[in-house]
């Protein structure tokens, strides 16, 4: 029984970084796919890099300049 519990813990520790990146709004499209591939191969190291490199608020949308009424 201990082996099963250990296996569940190890699998959840391996899957958790993938879930974190999938639910993150920091990246999108191909960039997110590249991070997922990196996390699959390097697991927690890639997750730490992802959290430190990618901006916290994701991509900032550019606002249009509104001309003031004269």
């Amino acid at each position: 029984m201990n082996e099963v519990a250990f296996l569940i813990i190890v699998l959840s520790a391996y899957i958790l970084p993938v879930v974190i990146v999938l639910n993150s709004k920091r990246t999108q499209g191909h960039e997110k796919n590249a991070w997922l591939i990196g996390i699959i191969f390097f697991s927690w190291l890639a997750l730490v890099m992802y959290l430190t490199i990618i901006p916290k608020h994701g991509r900032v949308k550019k606002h249009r300049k509104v001309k003031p009424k004269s």
Side-chain angles (χ1 to χ4, degrees):
M1 187 66 178
N2 286 338
E3 294 87 15
V4 174
F6 179 72
L7 182 62
I8 290 172
I9 292 171
V10 169
L11 284 175
S12 62
Y14 185 75
I15 292 173
L16 185 64
V18 174
V19 172
I20 291 172
V21 171
L22 283 175
N23 291 330
S24 175
K25 302 257 189 257
R26 292 181 175 197
T27 57
Q28 58 187 348
H30 294 299
E31 186 178 10
K32 184 174 281 197
N33 294 339
W35 279 108
L36 286 172
I37 290 170
I39 285 176
I40 288 170
F41 287 111
F42 302 110
S43 194
W44 287 96
L45 176 64
L47 179 66
V48 170
M49 290 175 55
Y50 175 80
L51 294 174
T52 56
I53 293 174
I54 302 299
K56 190 172 192 172
H57 302 291
R59 298 183 185 273
V60 178
K61 293 183 180 179
K62 294 181 181 178
H63 297 285
R64 289 186 345 191
K65 288 187 177 180
V66 178
K67 293 183 181 178
K69 294 182 180 179
S70 326

